[in-house]
Amino acid sequence: MYAAPSSVSAPPPPYRPQAGGGRPYATGAAPAGAVLPAGGRPQRAAAGGGPTLSGRIDLSGPQGTRLRTAIAAVHRVCPEFHPVQVLRRSGRSVLIVGTTGRATAVAKCLLDHSPVWTERARQEIAAYRAFVRHRPPVRVPRLVAADPDNCTLVVERMAGRPAALQRHPLEAPPRADIKAVLQAVCRVNQWRPPPGLFGVPLDYAGRLSRYHELGLLTDRDTSDLQKLLHGLAHAASRQGGQGQGQFCHGDALLSNVLLSPAGPVLLDWDHAGWYLPGYDLATLWTILGEAPAARRRISRLAQAAGPAARDAFLVNLMLVLTREIRTCETAVQRMMREPGPALPGATGSPGEAQRLLLRRLHDDCGMARRAVRAAVGTR
Protein backbone atom coordinates (compact mmCIF):
# COMPACT_ATOMS: atom_id res chain seq x y z
CA MET A 1 0.00 0.00 0.00
CA TYR A 2 1.24 3.46 -0.80
CA ALA A 3 2.49 5.27 2.29
CA ALA A 4 0.39 8.13 3.56
CA PRO A 5 1.69 11.41 2.12
CA SER A 6 2.81 14.24 4.34
CA SER A 7 2.80 17.95 3.69
CA VAL A 8 5.19 19.29 1.07
CA SER A 9 4.54 22.94 0.57
CA ALA A 10 5.99 26.38 0.20
CA PRO A 11 8.06 27.58 3.17
CA PRO A 12 5.75 28.37 6.09
CA PRO A 13 5.12 32.05 6.81
CA PRO A 14 7.28 33.55 9.55
CA TYR A 15 5.95 33.54 13.07
CA ARG A 16 4.00 36.70 13.78
CA PRO A 17 3.34 37.33 17.47
CA GLN A 18 -0.08 38.79 18.10
CA ALA A 19 -1.20 41.33 20.60
CA GLY A 20 -2.99 40.12 23.68
CA GLY A 21 -6.45 38.86 22.86
CA GLY A 22 -5.73 38.59 19.14
CA ARG A 23 -7.26 35.80 17.11
CA PRO A 24 -4.99 33.06 15.74
CA TYR A 25 -6.19 33.67 12.17
CA ALA A 26 -6.13 36.56 9.78
CA THR A 27 -9.42 38.31 9.31
CA GLY A 28 -11.50 36.92 6.46
CA ALA A 29 -15.05 36.28 5.38
CA ALA A 30 -17.35 34.98 8.08
CA PRO A 31 -19.37 31.82 7.54
CA ALA A 32 -23.10 31.96 7.22
CA GLY A 33 -23.86 31.17 10.84
CA ALA A 34 -21.26 33.40 12.49
CA VAL A 35 -22.68 36.74 13.51
CA LEU A 36 -20.53 39.67 12.42
CA PRO A 37 -21.78 43.21 11.89
CA ALA A 38 -21.50 44.89 8.53
CA GLY A 39 -18.07 46.26 9.45
CA GLY A 40 -16.69 42.75 9.87
CA ARG A 41 -15.64 43.02 13.55
CA PRO A 42 -16.85 40.34 15.99
CA GLN A 43 -19.35 41.46 18.59
CA ARG A 44 -19.17 40.95 22.32
CA ALA A 45 -21.32 38.07 23.49
CA ALA A 46 -24.44 38.86 25.47
CA ALA A 47 -25.15 37.34 28.86
CA GLY A 48 -27.34 34.68 27.31
CA GLY A 49 -24.52 33.36 25.14
CA GLY A 50 -25.51 35.10 21.90
CA PRO A 51 -24.13 38.30 20.39
CA THR A 52 -25.43 41.73 21.13
CA LEU A 53 -27.40 42.69 18.03
CA SER A 54 -27.34 46.35 17.17
CA GLY A 55 -26.88 48.70 14.27
CA ARG A 56 -28.98 49.60 11.27
CA ILE A 57 -29.14 48.39 7.71
CA ASP A 58 -28.26 50.88 4.99
CA LEU A 59 -30.98 50.71 2.35
CA SER A 60 -29.77 53.64 0.27
CA GLY A 61 -28.40 53.49 -3.27
CA PRO A 62 -28.45 50.60 -5.76
CA GLN A 63 -27.24 48.10 -3.15
CA GLY A 64 -30.05 49.20 -0.87
CA THR A 65 -32.56 48.44 -3.59
CA ARG A 66 -31.31 44.88 -3.90
CA LEU A 67 -31.29 44.57 -0.12
CA ARG A 68 -34.91 45.74 0.11
CA THR A 69 -35.84 43.13 -2.49
CA ALA A 70 -34.08 40.44 -0.46
CA ILE A 71 -35.78 41.50 2.78
CA ALA A 72 -39.16 41.47 1.04
CA ALA A 73 -38.47 37.90 -0.12
CA VAL A 74 -37.67 36.91 3.47
CA HIS A 75 -40.87 38.51 4.76
CA ARG A 76 -42.95 36.56 2.26
CA VAL A 77 -41.79 33.29 3.74
CA CYS A 78 -41.14 34.49 7.32
CA PRO A 79 -43.27 37.57 8.14
CA GLU A 80 -41.99 37.79 11.73
CA PHE A 81 -38.35 38.19 10.64
CA HIS A 82 -36.92 41.54 11.75
CA PRO A 83 -33.63 42.34 9.98
CA VAL A 84 -30.86 43.76 12.13
CA GLN A 85 -27.51 43.43 10.37
CA VAL A 86 -26.00 42.39 7.07
CA LEU A 87 -23.52 39.58 7.72
CA ARG A 88 -22.17 39.19 4.22
CA ARG A 89 -23.03 40.51 0.80
CA SER A 90 -21.65 39.49 -2.56
CA GLY A 91 -22.82 39.60 -6.13
CA ARG A 92 -24.45 36.20 -5.66
CA SER A 93 -26.19 36.32 -2.27
CA VAL A 94 -26.75 38.28 0.91
CA LEU A 95 -26.84 37.04 4.52
CA ILE A 96 -28.89 38.99 7.04
CA VAL A 97 -29.10 38.39 10.76
CA GLY A 98 -32.33 39.27 12.50
CA THR A 99 -34.88 38.15 15.03
CA THR A 100 -37.97 35.98 14.82
CA GLY A 101 -39.82 36.63 18.03
CA ARG A 102 -37.39 35.92 20.86
CA ALA A 103 -35.00 33.89 18.70
CA THR A 104 -32.16 34.99 16.44
CA ALA A 105 -32.11 33.82 12.84
CA VAL A 106 -30.03 34.17 9.70
CA ALA A 107 -31.64 34.74 6.30
CA LYS A 108 -29.82 33.80 3.10
CA CYS A 109 -31.18 35.29 -0.11
CA LEU A 110 -29.93 34.62 -3.61
CA LEU A 111 -29.25 37.70 -5.73
CA ASP A 112 -27.85 36.00 -8.83
CA HIS A 113 -30.62 33.74 -10.14
CA SER A 114 -28.57 32.13 -12.89
CA PRO A 115 -29.24 28.38 -13.24
CA VAL A 116 -26.09 27.16 -11.48
CA TRP A 117 -26.59 29.30 -8.37
CA THR A 118 -30.34 28.68 -8.30
CA GLU A 119 -29.71 24.94 -8.31
CA ARG A 120 -27.20 25.21 -5.47
CA ALA A 121 -29.57 27.33 -3.38
CA ARG A 122 -32.37 24.83 -3.86
CA GLN A 123 -30.06 21.97 -2.94
CA GLU A 124 -29.24 23.70 0.34
CA ILE A 125 -32.92 24.28 1.08
CA ALA A 126 -33.64 20.63 0.31
CA ALA A 127 -30.88 19.58 2.72
CA TYR A 128 -32.25 21.64 5.59
CA ARG A 129 -35.75 20.33 4.90
CA ALA A 130 -34.41 16.78 5.00
CA PHE A 131 -32.76 17.50 8.35
CA VAL A 132 -36.15 18.32 9.89
CA ARG A 133 -37.17 14.65 9.90
CA HIS A 134 -33.78 12.97 9.59
CA ARG A 135 -31.29 14.65 11.88
CA PRO A 136 -27.62 14.14 10.98
CA PRO A 137 -25.19 13.02 13.70
CA VAL A 138 -23.80 16.55 14.08
CA ARG A 139 -25.28 19.87 15.11
CA VAL A 140 -26.83 21.87 12.26
CA PRO A 141 -28.94 25.05 12.29
CA ARG A 142 -32.67 24.45 12.63
CA LEU A 143 -34.79 25.35 9.61
CA VAL A 144 -37.12 28.30 10.27
CA ALA A 145 -38.56 28.90 6.81
CA ALA A 146 -37.63 28.46 3.16
CA ASP A 147 -38.86 29.33 -0.32
CA PRO A 148 -37.12 27.32 -3.06
CA ASP A 149 -38.84 29.32 -5.81
CA ASN A 150 -37.24 32.58 -4.66
CA CYS A 151 -34.14 30.81 -3.23
CA THR A 152 -34.68 32.22 0.25
CA LEU A 153 -33.59 30.34 3.36
CA VAL A 154 -34.04 31.25 7.05
CA VAL A 155 -32.31 29.19 9.74
CA GLU A 156 -31.61 29.66 13.41
CA ARG A 157 -28.46 31.52 14.36
CA MET A 158 -26.03 29.16 16.08
CA ALA A 159 -23.59 30.38 18.69
CA GLY A 160 -19.91 29.65 18.25
CA ARG A 161 -16.70 30.84 16.65
CA PRO A 162 -15.58 29.75 13.19
CA ALA A 163 -12.82 27.15 13.15
CA ALA A 164 -11.04 29.45 10.67
CA LEU A 165 -11.81 32.74 8.96
CA GLN A 166 -10.03 31.91 5.72
CA ARG A 167 -10.44 29.15 3.18
CA HIS A 168 -6.74 28.31 3.50
CA PRO A 169 -5.59 29.36 7.01
CA LEU A 170 -2.26 31.18 7.02
CA GLU A 171 -1.27 29.40 10.22
CA ALA A 172 -2.07 25.94 11.56
CA PRO A 173 -5.24 26.05 13.68
CA PRO A 174 -5.02 24.66 17.23
CA ARG A 175 -4.86 20.88 17.33
CA ALA A 176 -7.99 20.72 19.49
CA ASP A 177 -9.94 22.64 16.85
CA ILE A 178 -8.73 20.37 14.04
CA LYS A 179 -9.59 17.30 16.11
CA ALA A 180 -13.12 18.56 16.78
CA VAL A 181 -13.71 19.34 13.10
CA LEU A 182 -12.30 16.03 11.94
CA GLN A 183 -14.45 14.06 14.38
CA ALA A 184 -17.57 15.92 13.25
CA VAL A 185 -16.80 15.33 9.58
CA CYS A 186 -16.17 11.62 10.19
CA ARG A 187 -19.54 11.33 11.95
CA VAL A 188 -21.20 12.88 8.90
CA ASN A 189 -19.38 10.45 6.61
CA GLN A 190 -20.61 7.48 8.66
CA TRP A 191 -24.24 8.61 8.44
CA ARG A 192 -26.52 6.72 6.08
CA PRO A 193 -29.58 8.91 5.39
CA PRO A 194 -32.62 7.25 3.80
CA PRO A 195 -32.40 6.71 0.03
CA GLY A 196 -33.69 9.52 -2.13
CA LEU A 197 -33.02 12.37 0.29
CA PHE A 198 -29.74 13.43 -1.32
CA GLY A 199 -28.35 13.18 -4.81
CA VAL A 200 -24.90 12.80 -6.37
CA PRO A 201 -23.48 16.36 -6.68
CA LEU A 202 -20.26 15.43 -8.48
CA ASP A 203 -20.00 13.83 -11.91
CA TYR A 204 -16.50 12.41 -11.62
CA ALA A 205 -16.09 11.45 -15.28
CA GLY A 206 -17.44 14.81 -16.43
CA ARG A 207 -15.20 16.73 -14.05
CA LEU A 208 -12.14 14.82 -15.25
CA SER A 209 -12.98 15.55 -18.86
CA ARG A 210 -13.53 19.24 -18.20
CA TYR A 211 -10.27 19.67 -16.29
CA HIS A 212 -8.44 17.79 -19.05
CA GLU A 213 -9.94 20.04 -21.72
CA LEU A 214 -8.89 23.11 -19.72
CA GLY A 215 -5.32 21.85 -19.54
CA LEU A 216 -5.45 21.42 -15.76
CA LEU A 217 -4.86 17.67 -15.99
CA THR A 218 -2.37 15.98 -18.30
CA ASP A 219 -3.14 12.98 -20.48
CA ARG A 220 -1.32 10.78 -17.97
CA ASP A 221 -3.27 12.27 -15.05
CA THR A 222 -6.59 11.65 -16.77
CA SER A 223 -5.67 8.10 -17.76
CA ASP A 224 -4.50 7.21 -14.25
CA LEU A 225 -7.57 8.67 -12.57
CA GLN A 226 -9.86 6.90 -15.03
CA LYS A 227 -8.15 3.61 -14.18
CA LEU A 228 -8.78 4.19 -10.48
CA LEU A 229 -12.42 5.11 -11.17
CA HIS A 230 -12.82 1.97 -13.28
CA GLY A 231 -11.38 -0.15 -10.48
CA LEU A 232 -13.73 1.45 -7.93
CA ALA A 233 -16.73 0.85 -10.19
CA HIS A 234 -15.69 -2.77 -10.65
CA ALA A 235 -15.36 -3.23 -6.88
CA ALA A 236 -18.82 -1.69 -6.39
CA SER A 237 -20.35 -4.02 -8.98
CA ARG A 238 -18.92 -7.04 -7.13
CA GLN A 239 -20.76 -5.79 -4.04
CA GLY A 240 -24.01 -5.33 -5.91
CA GLY A 241 -23.49 -1.59 -6.26
CA GLN A 242 -23.41 -1.08 -2.49
CA GLY A 243 -20.73 0.13 -0.15
CA GLN A 244 -18.81 2.50 -2.40
CA GLY A 245 -20.80 5.69 -1.87
CA GLN A 246 -20.30 7.90 1.17
CA PHE A 247 -22.46 10.75 2.41
CA CYS A 248 -20.36 13.92 2.57
CA HIS A 249 -20.89 17.54 3.53
CA GLY A 250 -19.25 18.40 0.21
CA ASP A 251 -17.64 21.66 1.34
CA ALA A 252 -15.84 20.70 4.55
CA LEU A 253 -13.92 23.94 5.03
CA LEU A 254 -12.93 25.10 8.50
CA SER A 255 -14.82 28.32 7.76
CA ASN A 256 -18.01 26.25 7.47
CA VAL A 257 -17.67 24.94 11.02
CA LEU A 258 -18.60 26.81 14.20
CA LEU A 259 -16.97 25.63 17.42
CA SER A 260 -18.94 25.93 20.63
CA PRO A 261 -18.90 24.25 24.06
CA ALA A 262 -21.88 22.15 22.92
CA GLY A 263 -19.91 20.80 19.96
CA PRO A 264 -19.12 21.71 16.36
CA VAL A 265 -21.87 23.10 14.12
CA LEU A 266 -21.67 22.46 10.36
CA LEU A 267 -23.01 25.14 8.03
CA ASP A 268 -23.60 25.61 4.28
CA TRP A 269 -24.98 22.27 3.10
CA ASP A 270 -25.49 23.17 -0.56
CA HIS A 271 -22.95 20.54 -1.71
CA ALA A 272 -24.19 17.71 0.52
CA GLY A 273 -24.76 14.33 -1.08
CA TRP A 274 -23.15 11.04 -2.09
CA TYR A 275 -19.51 11.01 -3.18
CA LEU A 276 -16.71 8.53 -3.48
CA PRO A 277 -15.38 7.86 0.03
CA GLY A 278 -12.97 10.46 1.34
CA TYR A 279 -14.20 13.61 -0.41
CA ASP A 280 -14.53 15.59 2.82
CA LEU A 281 -11.17 14.27 4.01
CA ALA A 282 -9.59 15.36 0.73
CA THR A 283 -11.02 18.86 1.22
CA LEU A 284 -9.62 19.09 4.75
CA TRP A 285 -6.23 17.73 3.63
CA THR A 286 -6.08 20.39 0.91
CA ILE A 287 -6.81 23.39 3.12
CA LEU A 288 -4.58 22.28 6.01
CA GLY A 289 -1.33 23.00 4.21
CA GLU A 290 0.23 24.48 7.33
CA ALA A 291 -0.71 21.52 9.56
CA PRO A 292 1.39 18.51 8.44
CA ALA A 293 0.48 16.44 11.50
CA ALA A 294 -3.21 16.83 10.71
CA ARG A 295 -2.55 15.86 7.09
CA ARG A 296 -0.82 12.67 8.17
CA ARG A 297 -3.79 11.79 10.38
CA ILE A 298 -6.23 12.46 7.54
CA SER A 299 -4.19 10.26 5.18
CA ARG A 300 -4.21 7.41 7.68
CA LEU A 301 -7.98 7.73 8.11
CA ALA A 302 -8.49 7.72 4.36
CA GLN A 303 -6.48 4.53 3.91
CA ALA A 304 -7.78 2.65 6.95
CA ALA A 305 -10.53 0.84 5.01
CA GLY A 306 -8.15 -0.64 2.45
CA PRO A 307 -6.95 -0.06 -1.13
CA ALA A 308 -10.39 0.90 -2.50
CA ALA A 309 -10.79 3.66 0.09
CA ARG A 310 -7.24 4.82 -0.64
CA ASP A 311 -7.95 5.00 -4.37
CA ALA A 312 -11.19 6.92 -3.83
CA PHE A 313 -9.41 9.39 -1.57
CA LEU A 314 -6.69 9.95 -4.16
CA VAL A 315 -9.24 10.59 -6.93
CA ASN A 316 -11.02 13.08 -4.68
CA LEU A 317 -7.74 14.69 -3.69
CA MET A 318 -6.63 15.27 -7.27
CA LEU A 319 -9.98 16.82 -8.19
CA VAL A 320 -10.12 19.05 -5.11
CA LEU A 321 -6.53 20.23 -5.55
CA THR A 322 -7.12 20.95 -9.24
CA ARG A 323 -10.23 22.95 -8.39
CA GLU A 324 -8.33 24.97 -5.79
CA ILE A 325 -5.49 25.63 -8.25
CA ARG A 326 -7.97 26.88 -10.81
CA THR A 327 -9.67 29.13 -8.23
CA CYS A 328 -6.35 30.47 -6.97
CA GLU A 329 -5.06 31.20 -10.48
CA THR A 330 -8.23 33.15 -11.20
CA ALA A 331 -7.79 35.13 -7.98
CA VAL A 332 -4.15 35.94 -8.82
CA GLN A 333 -5.13 37.18 -12.27
CA ARG A 334 -7.89 39.32 -10.80
CA MET A 335 -5.55 40.83 -8.21
CA MET A 336 -3.03 41.68 -10.91
CA ARG A 337 -5.76 43.61 -12.74
CA GLU A 338 -7.35 45.12 -9.64
CA PRO A 339 -4.89 45.26 -6.70
CA GLY A 340 -6.58 45.67 -3.36
CA PRO A 341 -5.58 46.28 0.29
CA ALA A 342 -3.56 43.70 2.20
CA LEU A 343 -5.29 41.43 4.67
CA PRO A 344 -4.71 42.27 8.37
CA GLY A 345 -1.92 40.10 9.73
CA ALA A 346 -0.65 39.10 6.28
CA THR A 347 2.86 39.88 5.09
CA GLY A 348 3.30 41.29 1.61
CA SER A 349 0.58 42.08 -0.88
CA PRO A 350 -2.59 39.97 -1.31
CA GLY A 351 -1.26 38.94 -4.70
CA GLU A 352 1.95 37.64 -3.12
CA ALA A 353 -0.03 35.63 -0.56
CA GLN A 354 -2.07 34.10 -3.37
CA ARG A 355 1.08 33.26 -5.33
CA LEU A 356 2.57 31.51 -2.29
CA LEU A 357 -0.67 29.57 -1.88
CA LEU A 358 -0.65 28.67 -5.56
CA ARG A 359 2.93 27.37 -5.28
CA ARG A 360 1.96 25.23 -2.31
CA LEU A 361 -1.07 23.85 -4.15
CA HIS A 362 1.08 22.90 -7.13
CA ASP A 363 3.54 21.15 -4.78
CA ASP A 364 0.63 19.28 -3.19
CA CYS A 365 -0.78 18.34 -6.58
CA GLY A 366 2.60 16.94 -7.62
CA MET A 367 2.67 14.82 -4.48
CA ALA A 368 -0.89 13.58 -5.07
CA ARG A 369 -0.01 12.83 -8.70
CA ARG A 370 2.86 10.59 -7.58
CA ALA A 371 0.55 8.84 -5.11
CA VAL A 372 -2.00 8.21 -7.88
CA ARG A 373 0.66 6.70 -10.13
CA ALA A 374 1.89 4.49 -7.31
CA ALA A 375 -1.67 3.33 -6.66
CA VAL A 376 -2.22 2.53 -10.34
CA GLY A 377 1.01 0.54 -10.33
CA THR A 378 -0.27 -1.70 -7.52
CA ARG A 379 -3.53 -2.64 -9.28
Side-chain angles (χ1 to χ4, degrees), residues 10-379:
Y15 173 72
R16 298 186 296 277
Q18 302 204 10
R23 297 188 302 277
Y25 318 117
T27 302
V35 174
L36 299 179
R41 297 182 63 84
Q43 291 195 311
R44 185 179 302 276
T52 302
L53 299 180
S54 62
R56 54 184 297 180
I57 296 179
D58 183 8
L59 298 177
S60 62
Q63 293 293 335
T65 301
R66 303 186 75 184
L67 197 53
R68 284 195 297 270
T69 301
I71 293 173
V74 176
H75 283 159
R76 281 195 292 272
V77 69
C78 187
E80 66 274 21
F81 182 82
H82 174 67
V84 178
Q85 293 171 347
V86 175
L87 297 185
R88 186 176 68 205
R89 177 165 45 193
S90 68
R92 293 193 296 266
S93 63
V94 60
L95 269 65
I96 306 169
V97 65
T99 58
T100 55
R102 300 177 62 181
T104 310
V106 175
K108 185 175 185 179
C109 303
L110 192 67
L111 301 177
D112 178 359
H113 287 268
S114 58
V116 61
W117 299 115
T118 297
E119 180 62 23
R120 279 183 53 176
R122 290 174 178 171
Q123 287 175 358
E124 185 171 21
I125 290 173
Y128 278 106
R129 284 181 167 177
F131 294 157
V132 172
R133 296 188 61 182
H134 304 278
R135 299 294 293 178
V138 294
R139 298 180 68 222
V140 299
R142 178 181 58 86
L143 176 67
V144 176
D147 181 1
D149 292 332
N150 289 323
C151 299
T152 302
L153 173 68
V154 184
V155 297
E156 69 172 322
R157 199 277 306 173
M158 303 292 284
R161 60 178 177 84
L165 293 175
Q166 288 182 312
R167 187 179 186 89
H168 295 268
L170 298 177
E171 298 175 358
R175 284 183 296 178
D177 290 0
I178 296 176
K179 180 180 179 181
V181 171
L182 195 53
Q183 288 176 344
V185 167
C186 288
R187 287 197 298 271
V188 170
N189 297 157
Q190 293 166 3
W191 187 43
R192 306 293 293 185
L197 279 184
F198 297 92
V200 181
L202 178 57
D203 175 7
Y204 282 87
R207 184 68 60 87
L208 279 179
S209 297
R210 185 161 75 253
Y211 285 169
H212 182 239
E213 291 172 358
L214 292 172
L216 299 170
L217 292 175
T218 66
D219 293 344
R220 174 72 181 274
D221 293 335
T222 306
S223 175
D224 287 345
L225 292 172
Q226 287 173 341
K227 289 177 182 176
L228 293 184
L229 285 175
H230 179 76
L232 291 168
H234 182 65
S237 66
R238 292 203 308 267
Q239 301 178 26
Q242 302 296 321
Q244 290 299 310
Q246 182 183 72
F247 181 77
C248 293
H249 177 277
D251 198 21
L253 305 172
L254 297 182
S255 54
N256 284 336
V257 182
L258 296 181
L259 299 176
S260 72
V265 182
L266 269 64
L267 312 170
D268 291 351
W269 290 85
D270 51 322
H271 291 87
W274 297 95
Y275 294 78
L276 289 178
Y279 188 86
D280 285 342
L281 293 179
T283 300
L284 285 172
W285 191 96
T286 298
I287 65 173
L288 288 171
E290 305 304 332
R295 280 187 159 188
R296 287 191 291 271
R297 182 181 180 187
I298 291 170
S299 297
R300 288 194 296 269
L301 284 172
Q303 299 183 80
R310 174 206 62 190
D311 292 352
F313 172 73
L314 290 175
V315 171
N316 287 320
L317 187 59
M318 279 294 292
L319 291 182
V320 171
L321 282 167
T322 304
R323 180 197 65 198
E324 293 299 303
I325 288 173
R326 183 186 183 193
T327 301
C328 191
E329 287 178 342
T330 302
V332 169
Q333 293 169 2
R334 184 175 61 250
M335 287 179 177
M336 291 177 65
R337 294 192 306 266
E338 305 170 2
L343 292 173
T347 58
S349 65
E352 179 63 21
Q354 286 290 327
R355 283 188 286 271
L356 286 174
L357 172 60
L358 184 59
R359 186 174 75 178
R360 193 263 288 172
L361 290 172
H362 277 294
D363 287 344
D364 291 342
C365 194
M367 181 166 49
R369 179 178 291 111
R370 292 189 293 272
V372 167
R373 292 178 180 177
V376 170
T378 62
R379 299 197 65 83

